[in-house]
Coordinates of all heavy atoms in Angstrom, one line a residue:
M295 N 33.8 -19.3 -4.6 CA 35.2 -19.7 -4.4 C 35.4 -19.9 -2.9 O 36.1 -20.8 -2.4 CB 36.2 -18.8 -5.0 CG 37.6 -19.3 -5.0 SD 38.6 -18.3 -6.0 CE 39.1 -19.5 -7.3
L296 N 34.9 -19.0 -2.1 CA 35.0 -19.1 -0.6 C 33.8 -19.8 0.0 O 32.7 -19.6 -0.5 CB 35.1 -17.7 0.0 CG 36.3 -16.8 -0.3 CD1 36.1 -15.4 0.4 CD2 37.5 -17.4 0.3
N297 N 34.1 -20.7 0.9 CA 33.0 -21.4 1.5 C 32.3 -20.5 2.5 O 32.7 -19.4 2.8 CB 33.4 -22.7 2.2 CG 34.3 -22.5 3.4 OD1 34.2 -21.6 4.2 ND2 35.3 -23.4 3.6
T298 N 31.1 -20.9 3.0 CA 30.3 -20.0 3.9 C 31.0 -19.6 5.2 O 30.9 -18.5 5.6 CB 29.0 -20.7 4.2 OG1 28.7 -21.8 3.4 CG2 27.8 -19.8 4.1
L299 N 31.7 -20.6 5.8 CA 32.4 -20.3 7.0 C 33.5 -19.2 6.8 O 33.6 -18.3 7.6 CB 32.9 -21.6 7.6 CG 33.7 -21.4 9.0 CD1 32.7 -20.9 10.0 CD2 34.2 -22.8 9.4
T300 N 34.3 -19.4 5.8 CA 35.3 -18.5 5.5 C 34.8 -17.1 5.1 O 35.3 -16.1 5.6 CB 36.2 -19.0 4.3 OG1 36.7 -20.3 4.6 CG2 37.3 -18.1 4.0
M301 N 33.7 -17.1 4.4 CA 33.0 -15.8 4.0 C 32.5 -15.1 5.3 O 32.7 -13.9 5.4 CB 31.9 -16.1 3.1 CG 31.5 -15.1 2.1 SD 32.9 -14.2 1.3 CE 32.0 -12.7 1.1
A302 N 32.0 -15.9 6.2 CA 31.5 -15.3 7.5 C 32.7 -14.7 8.3 O 32.5 -13.6 8.9 CB 30.8 -16.4 8.3
K303 N 33.8 -15.4 8.4 CA 35.0 -14.9 9.1 C 35.5 -13.6 8.4 O 35.8 -12.7 9.1 CB 36.1 -15.9 9.1 CG 35.9 -17.1 10.0 CD 37.0 -18.1 9.9 CE 36.7 -19.3 10.8 NZ 37.9 -20.3 10.7
L304 N 35.5 -13.6 7.1 CA 35.9 -12.4 6.4 C 35.0 -11.2 6.6 O 35.4 -10.1 6.9 CB 36.0 -12.7 4.9 CG 36.5 -11.6 4.0 CD1 37.9 -11.1 4.4 CD2 36.5 -12.0 2.5
E305 N 33.7 -11.5 6.6 CA 32.7 -10.4 6.9 C 32.9 -9.9 8.3 O 32.8 -8.7 8.6 CB 31.3 -10.9 6.7 CG 31.0 -11.1 5.2 CD 29.6 -11.8 5.0 OE1 28.9 -12.1 6.0 OE2 29.3 -12.1 3.8
D306 N 33.1 -10.8 9.3 CA 33.4 -10.3 10.7 C 34.6 -9.4 10.8 O 34.5 -8.4 11.5 CB 33.5 -11.5 11.6 CG 32.3 -12.3 11.9 OD1 31.2 -11.7 11.6 OD2 32.3 -13.4 12.4
I307 N 35.7 -9.8 10.1 CA 36.9 -9.0 10.2 C 36.6 -7.7 9.5 O 37.0 -6.6 10.0 CB 38.0 -9.7 9.4 CG1 38.4 -11.0 10.2 CG2 39.2 -8.8 9.2 CD1 39.4 -11.9 9.5
L308 N 35.9 -7.7 8.4 CA 35.6 -6.4 7.6 C 34.7 -5.5 8.4 O 35.0 -4.3 8.4 CB 35.0 -6.8 6.3 CG 35.0 -5.8 5.2 CD1 36.5 -5.4 4.9 CD2 34.4 -6.4 3.9
K309 N 33.8 -6.0 9.2 CA 32.8 -5.2 10.0 C 33.6 -4.4 11.1 O 33.1 -3.4 11.5 CB 31.8 -6.1 10.6 CG 30.7 -6.5 9.7 CD 29.7 -7.4 10.4 CE 28.8 -8.1 9.5 NZ 27.8 -9.0 10.2
K310 N 34.7 -5.0 11.6 CA 35.4 -4.4 12.7 C 36.3 -3.2 12.2 O 36.8 -2.4 13.0 CB 36.4 -5.4 13.3 CG 35.6 -6.5 14.1 CD 36.5 -7.5 14.6 CE 35.8 -8.6 15.3 NZ 36.7 -9.7 15.7
Q311 N 36.4 -3.0 10.9 CA 37.3 -2.0 10.3 C 36.4 -0.8 9.8 O 35.3 -0.9 9.4 CB 38.0 -2.5 9.1 CG 38.8 -3.8 9.4 CD 39.8 -3.7 10.5 OE1 40.5 -2.6 10.6 NE2 39.9 -4.7 11.3
K312 N 37.0 0.4 9.9 CA 36.3 1.6 9.4 C 36.7 1.8 7.9 O 37.7 1.3 7.5 CB 36.8 2.8 10.2 CG 36.4 2.8 11.6 CD 36.7 4.1 12.3 CE 36.4 4.0 13.8 NZ 35.3 4.9 14.2
Q313 N 35.9 2.4 7.2 CA 36.2 2.7 5.8 C 37.5 3.4 5.7 O 37.8 4.4 6.4 CB 35.1 3.5 5.2 CG 35.2 3.7 3.7 CD 34.0 4.4 3.0 OE1 33.2 4.9 3.7 NE2 34.0 4.4 1.7
G314 N 38.4 2.9 4.8 CA 39.7 3.5 4.6 C 40.8 2.9 5.5 O 41.9 3.2 5.3
A315 N 40.4 2.0 6.4 CA 41.3 1.4 7.4 C 42.2 0.4 6.6 O 41.7 -0.3 5.7 CB 40.6 0.7 8.5
Q316 N 43.4 0.3 7.0 CA 44.3 -0.7 6.4 C 44.5 -1.8 7.4 O 44.8 -1.5 8.6 CB 45.7 0.0 6.1 CG 46.5 -0.7 5.1 CD 47.7 0.1 4.7 OE1 48.5 0.6 5.5 NE2 47.9 0.3 3.4
F317 N 44.4 -3.0 6.9 CA 44.6 -4.2 7.9 C 45.1 -5.4 7.1 O 45.2 -5.3 5.8 CB 43.2 -4.5 8.6 CG 42.1 -4.8 7.6 CD1 41.7 -6.1 7.4 CD2 41.4 -3.8 7.0 CE1 40.6 -6.4 6.5 CE2 40.3 -4.0 6.2 CZ 39.9 -5.3 5.9
V318 N 45.5 -6.4 7.8 CA 46.1 -7.6 7.2 C 45.1 -8.8 7.2 O 44.4 -9.0 8.2 CB 47.4 -7.9 8.0 CG1 48.0 -9.3 7.5 CG2 48.4 -6.8 7.8
L319 N 45.1 -9.5 6.1 CA 44.4 -10.8 6.1 C 45.4 -11.9 5.9 O 46.5 -11.7 5.2 CB 43.5 -10.8 4.9 CG 42.3 -9.8 4.9 CD1 41.5 -9.9 3.6 CD2 41.4 -10.1 6.1
S320 N 45.2 -13.1 6.5 CA 46.1 -14.2 6.4 C 45.3 -15.5 6.3 O 44.1 -15.5 6.7 CB 47.1 -14.2 7.5 OG 46.5 -14.5 8.7
A321 N 45.9 -16.6 5.9 CA 45.3 -17.9 5.8 C 44.7 -18.3 7.2 O 43.6 -18.7 7.3 CB 46.2 -18.9 5.2
P322 N 45.6 -18.3 8.3 CA 45.0 -18.7 9.6 C 43.8 -17.9 10.1 O 42.9 -18.5 10.7 CB 46.2 -18.5 10.5 CG 47.4 -18.5 9.7 CD 47.0 -17.9 8.4
M323 N 43.8 -16.6 9.8 CA 42.7 -15.8 10.2 C 41.4 -16.2 9.6 O 40.3 -16.1 10.2 CB 42.9 -14.3 9.8 CG 44.0 -13.6 10.5 SD 44.3 -12.0 9.8 CE 42.8 -11.1 10.2
L324 N 41.5 -16.8 8.3 CA 40.3 -17.2 7.6 C 40.1 -18.7 7.6 O 39.1 -19.2 7.0 CB 40.4 -16.7 6.1 CG 40.5 -15.2 6.0 CD1 40.7 -14.8 4.5 CD2 39.2 -14.5 6.5
G325 N 40.9 -19.4 8.4 CA 40.8 -20.8 8.4 C 41.0 -21.6 7.1 O 40.4 -22.6 6.8
M326 N 42.0 -21.1 6.4 CA 42.3 -21.6 5.1 C 43.7 -22.2 5.1 O 44.5 -21.7 5.9 CB 42.2 -20.5 4.0 CG 40.9 -19.9 3.9 SD 40.9 -18.4 2.7 CE 40.8 -19.3 1.2
S327 N 44.0 -23.1 4.1 CA 45.4 -23.5 3.9 C 46.1 -22.4 3.2 O 45.4 -21.5 2.6 CB 45.4 -24.8 3.1 OG 45.1 -24.5 1.7
L328 N 47.4 -22.4 3.2 CA 48.2 -21.4 2.5 C 48.0 -21.5 1.0 O 47.9 -20.4 0.4 CB 49.7 -21.6 2.9 CG 50.6 -20.4 2.6 CD1 50.1 -19.2 3.3 CD2 52.0 -20.7 3.0
E329 N 47.8 -22.7 0.5 CA 47.5 -22.8 -0.9 C 46.2 -22.2 -1.3 O 46.1 -21.5 -2.3 CB 47.6 -24.3 -1.4 CG 49.0 -24.9 -1.3 CD 49.4 -25.3 0.1 OE1 48.6 -25.3 1.1 OE2 50.6 -25.8 0.2
E330 N 45.2 -22.4 -0.5 CA 43.8 -21.9 -0.8 C 43.9 -20.3 -0.7 O 43.3 -19.6 -1.5 CB 42.8 -22.4 0.2 CG 42.5 -23.8 0.1 CD 41.6 -24.3 1.3 OE1 41.9 -23.9 2.4 OE2 40.7 -25.1 1.0
F331 N 44.6 -19.9 0.4 CA 44.7 -18.4 0.6 C 45.4 -17.8 -0.6 O 45.0 -16.7 -1.1 CB 45.4 -18.1 1.9 CG 45.4 -16.6 2.2 CD1 44.3 -16.0 2.6 CD2 46.6 -15.9 2.0 CE1 44.3 -14.6 2.9 CE2 46.6 -14.5 2.3 CZ 45.5 -13.9 2.7
D332 N 46.5 -18.4 -1.1 CA 47.3 -17.8 -2.2 C 46.4 -17.7 -3.4 O 46.4 -16.6 -4.1 CB 48.5 -18.7 -2.5 CG 49.2 -18.3 -3.7 OD1 50.0 -17.2 -3.6 OD2 49.1 -18.9 -4.8
T333 N 45.6 -18.7 -3.7 CA 44.7 -18.6 -4.9 C 43.7 -17.5 -4.8 O 43.6 -16.7 -5.8 CB 43.9 -20.0 -5.0 OG1 44.9 -21.0 -5.1 CG2 43.0 -19.9 -6.2
I334 N 43.1 -17.3 -3.7 CA 42.1 -16.2 -3.5 C 42.8 -14.9 -3.4 O 42.3 -13.9 -3.9 CB 41.1 -16.5 -2.4 CG1 39.9 -15.6 -2.5 CG2 41.7 -16.3 -1.0 CD1 38.9 -15.9 -3.6
A335 N 43.9 -14.8 -2.7 CA 44.7 -13.6 -2.5 C 45.1 -13.0 -3.9 O 45.2 -11.8 -4.1 CB 45.8 -13.7 -1.6
Q336 N 45.5 -13.9 -4.8 CA 45.9 -13.5 -6.1 C 44.8 -12.8 -6.9 O 45.0 -11.8 -7.5 CB 46.4 -14.7 -7.0 CG 47.8 -15.1 -6.5 CD 48.3 -16.3 -7.4 OE1 48.1 -16.3 -8.6 NE2 48.9 -17.3 -6.8
L337 N 43.6 -13.3 -6.7 CA 42.4 -12.7 -7.3 C 42.1 -11.4 -6.6 O 41.8 -10.4 -7.3 CB 41.2 -13.7 -7.1 CG 39.9 -13.2 -7.7 CD1 39.9 -13.2 -9.2 CD2 38.8 -14.2 -7.3
W338 N 42.2 -11.3 -5.3 CA 42.0 -10.0 -4.6 C 43.0 -9.0 -5.0 O 42.7 -7.8 -5.1 CB 42.1 -10.2 -3.1 CG 41.0 -11.0 -2.5 CD1 39.7 -11.2 -3.1 CD2 40.9 -11.7 -1.3 NE1 39.0 -12.0 -2.2 CE2 39.6 -12.3 -1.1 CE3 41.8 -11.8 -0.2 CZ2 39.3 -13.0 0.0 CZ3 41.5 -12.6 0.9 CH2 40.2 -13.2 1.0
V339 N 44.3 -9.4 -5.3 CA 45.3 -8.4 -5.7 C 44.9 -7.8 -7.1 O 45.0 -6.6 -7.3 CB 46.7 -9.1 -5.8 CG1 47.7 -8.2 -6.5 CG2 47.2 -9.4 -4.3
S340 N 44.5 -8.7 -8.0 CA 44.2 -8.2 -9.3 C 42.8 -7.6 -9.5 O 42.6 -6.6 -10.2 CB 44.3 -9.4 -10.3 OG 43.3 -10.4 -10.1
E341 N 41.8 -8.0 -8.7 CA 40.4 -7.5 -8.9 C 39.8 -6.9 -7.7 O 38.7 -6.3 -7.7 CB 39.5 -8.7 -9.3 CG 39.9 -9.3 -10.6 CD 39.0 -10.5 -11.0 OE1 37.9 -10.7 -10.4 OE2 39.4 -11.3 -11.9
G342 N 40.5 -7.0 -6.5 CA 39.9 -6.4 -5.3 C 39.1 -7.5 -4.6 O 38.7 -8.5 -5.3
G343 N 38.8 -7.3 -3.4 CA 37.9 -8.3 -2.6 C 36.6 -7.7 -2.4 O 36.3 -6.6 -2.8
P344 N 35.8 -8.5 -1.6 CA 34.4 -8.0 -1.3 C 34.5 -7.0 -0.2 O 34.5 -7.2 1.0 CB 33.7 -9.3 -0.8 CG 34.8 -10.2 -0.3 CD 36.1 -9.8 -1.1
G345 N 34.6 -5.7 -0.7 CA 34.6 -4.6 0.3 C 36.0 -4.1 0.6 O 36.1 -3.2 1.5
F346 N 37.0 -4.5 -0.1 CA 38.3 -4.0 0.2 C 39.2 -4.2 -1.1 O 38.8 -4.8 -2.0 CB 39.0 -4.8 1.3 CG 39.1 -6.3 1.1 CD1 40.2 -6.8 0.4 CD2 38.1 -7.1 1.6 CE1 40.3 -8.2 0.2 CE2 38.2 -8.5 1.4 CZ 39.3 -9.0 0.7
S347 N 40.3 -3.5 -1.1 CA 41.3 -3.6 -2.2 C 42.7 -3.8 -1.6 O 42.9 -3.5 -0.5 CB 41.3 -2.3 -3.1 OG 41.6 -1.2 -2.3
A348 N 43.5 -4.5 -2.3 CA 44.9 -4.8 -1.9 C 45.7 -3.5 -1.8 O 45.5 -2.6 -2.6 CB 45.5 -5.8 -2.8
A349 N 46.6 -3.5 -0.8 CA 47.5 -2.4 -0.7 C 48.9 -2.9 -0.5 O 49.1 -3.8 0.3 CB 47.1 -1.5 0.5
G350 N 49.8 -2.3 -1.2 CA 51.2 -2.8 -1.0 C 51.5 -4.1 -1.7 O 50.8 -4.6 -2.4
V351 N 52.7 -4.6 -1.3 CA 53.2 -5.9 -1.9 C 52.8 -7.1 -0.9 O 53.1 -7.0 0.3 CB 54.7 -5.8 -2.0 CG1 55.2 -7.1 -2.6 CG2 55.1 -4.7 -2.9
P352 N 52.2 -8.1 -1.4 CA 51.8 -9.2 -0.6 C 53.1 -9.9 0.0 O 54.1 -9.9 -0.6 CB 51.1 -10.2 -1.5 CG 50.7 -9.4 -2.7 CD 51.7 -8.3 -2.8
F353 N 53.0 -10.4 1.3 CA 54.1 -11.1 1.9 C 54.0 -12.5 1.4 O 52.9 -13.2 1.5 CB 53.9 -11.0 3.4 CG 55.0 -11.9 4.1 CD1 56.3 -11.4 4.3 CD2 54.7 -13.1 4.6 CE1 57.2 -12.1 4.9 CE2 55.6 -13.9 5.2 CZ 56.9 -13.4 5.4
R354 N 55.1 -13.0 0.9 CA 55.1 -14.4 0.4 C 56.0 -15.3 1.2 O 56.9 -14.8 1.8 CB 55.5 -14.4 -1.1 CG 54.5 -13.7 -2.0 CD 55.0 -13.6 -3.4 NE 54.2 -12.8 -4.2 CZ 53.1 -13.2 -4.9 NH1 52.7 -14.4 -4.9 NH2 52.4 -12.3 -5.6
K355 N 55.6 -16.6 1.2 CA 56.4 -17.6 1.9 C 56.7 -18.7 0.9 O 55.9 -19.1 0.1 CB 55.5 -18.1 3.1 CG 56.2 -19.1 4.0 CD 55.3 -19.4 5.2 CE 56.1 -20.2 6.2 NZ 55.2 -20.5 7.3
V356 N 57.9 -19.3 1.0 CA 58.3 -20.3 0.1 C 57.8 -21.7 0.7 O 58.2 -22.0 1.9 CB 59.8 -20.4 -0.1 CG1 60.2 -21.5 -1.0 CG2 60.3 -19.0 -0.7
I357 N 57.0 -22.4 0.0 CA 56.5 -23.7 0.4 C 56.8 -24.6 -0.8 O 56.3 -24.4 -1.9 CB 55.0 -23.7 0.7 CG1 54.6 -22.7 1.7 CG2 54.5 -25.1 1.0 CD1 55.1 -23.0 3.1
N358 N 57.6 -25.7 -0.6 CA 58.0 -26.6 -1.6 C 58.5 -25.9 -2.9 O 58.1 -26.3 -4.0 CB 56.8 -27.5 -1.9 CG 56.4 -28.4 -0.8 OD1 57.2 -28.8 0.0 ND2 55.1 -28.7 -0.7
G359 N 59.3 -24.9 -2.7 CA 59.9 -24.2 -3.8 C 59.0 -23.2 -4.5 O 59.3 -22.6 -5.5
E360 N 57.8 -23.0 -4.0 CA 56.8 -22.1 -4.6 C 56.6 -20.9 -3.7 O 56.5 -21.1 -2.5 CB 55.4 -22.7 -4.8 CG 55.2 -23.4 -6.1 CD 53.7 -23.8 -6.2 OE1 52.9 -23.0 -6.6 OE2 53.4 -24.9 -5.8
F361 N 56.5 -19.7 -4.2 CA 56.2 -18.5 -3.5 C 54.7 -18.3 -3.4 O 54.1 -18.1 -4.4 CB 56.9 -17.3 -4.1 CG 58.3 -17.2 -4.0 CD1 59.2 -17.7 -4.9 CD2 58.9 -16.6 -2.8 CE1 60.6 -17.6 -4.8 CE2 60.3 -16.5 -2.7 CZ 61.1 -17.0 -3.7
L362 N 54.2 -18.5 -2.2 CA 52.8 -18.4 -2.0 C 52.5 -17.2 -1.1 O 53.2 -16.9 -0.2 CB 52.2 -19.6 -1.3 CG 52.4 -21.0 -2.0 CD1 51.9 -22.1 -1.1 CD2 51.7 -20.9 -3.4
I363 N 51.4 -16.5 -1.4 CA 51.0 -15.3 -0.6 C 50.5 -15.8 0.8 O 49.6 -16.6 0.9 CB 49.9 -14.5 -1.2 CG1 50.4 -14.0 -2.6 CG2 49.4 -13.4 -0.3 CD1 49.3 -13.3 -3.4
A364 N 51.2 -15.3 1.8 CA 50.9 -15.7 3.2 C 50.1 -14.7 3.9 O 49.3 -15.0 4.8 CB 52.2 -16.0 4.0
R365 N 50.3 -13.4 3.6 CA 49.6 -12.3 4.2 C 49.4 -11.2 3.2 O 50.2 -11.0 2.3 CB 50.4 -11.6 5.3 CG 50.6 -12.5 6.6 CD 51.2 -11.7 7.7 NE 52.4 -10.9 7.4 CZ 53.6 -11.4 7.7 NH1 53.8 -12.5 8.3 NH2 54.7 -10.6 7.4
L366 N 48.2 -10.6 3.3 CA 47.9 -9.5 2.3 C 47.4 -8.3 3.1 O 46.4 -8.4 3.9 CB 46.8 -10.1 1.4 CG 46.3 -9.2 0.3 CD1 47.5 -8.8 -0.7 CD2 45.2 -9.8 -0.5
T367 N 48.0 -7.2 2.9 CA 47.5 -5.9 3.4 C 46.4 -5.4 2.5 O 46.6 -5.3 1.3 CB 48.7 -4.9 3.6 OG1 49.7 -5.5 4.4 CG2 48.2 -3.7 4.3
V368 N 45.3 -5.0 3.1 CA 44.2 -4.5 2.3 C 43.6 -3.2 2.9 O 43.9 -2.9 4.1 CB 43.1 -5.6 2.2 CG1 43.5 -6.8 1.5 CG2 42.5 -5.9 3.6
V369 N 42.8 -2.5 2.2 CA 42.2 -1.3 2.6 C 40.7 -1.4 2.4 O 40.2 -1.8 1.4 CB 42.7 0.0 1.8 CG1 41.9 1.2 2.2 CG2 44.2 0.2 2.0
K370 N 39.9 -1.2 3.5 CA 38.5 -1.3 3.4 C 37.9 -0.2 2.5 O 38.2 1.0 2.8 CB 37.8 -1.2 4.8 CG 36.3 -1.4 4.7 CD 35.7 -1.5 6.1 CE 34.2 -1.6 6.0 NZ 33.6 -1.7 7.3
T371 N 37.2 -0.6 1.5 CA 36.5 0.4 0.6 C 35.0 0.5 0.8 O 34.5 1.5 0.4 CB 36.8 0.0 -0.9 OG1 36.3 -1.3 -1.1 CG2 38.3 0.0 -1.2
A372 N 34.4 -0.5 1.4 CA 33.0 -0.5 1.6 C 32.6 0.4 2.7 O 33.3 0.5 3.7 CB 32.5 -1.9 1.9
A373 N 31.4 1.1 2.6 CA 30.9 1.9 3.7 C 30.4 1.0 4.7 O 30.0 -0.2 4.5 CB 29.8 2.8 3.1
D374 N 30.3 1.5 6.0 CA 29.9 0.7 7.1 C 28.4 0.4 7.0 O 27.6 1.0 6.4 CB 30.2 1.4 8.4 CG 31.7 1.4 8.7 OD1 32.4 0.5 8.2 OD2 32.1 2.4 9.4

């Protein structure tokens, strides 16, 4: 679902965090459109991401009358 460039950006962000660290992911950080980020963030909220799990309530933004996830707070679960 994620292209190679986006996956590389995500891995770089994840490498900078310590296990148990809480941090934010957003569409601009990953070079994605808000719509693309919303789709993958919904999956991360329900199933967790590669090396992290969602924490708290996602921040949503209204675009064309739709509430899309704009930022997601996550916790690193993978060991370094």
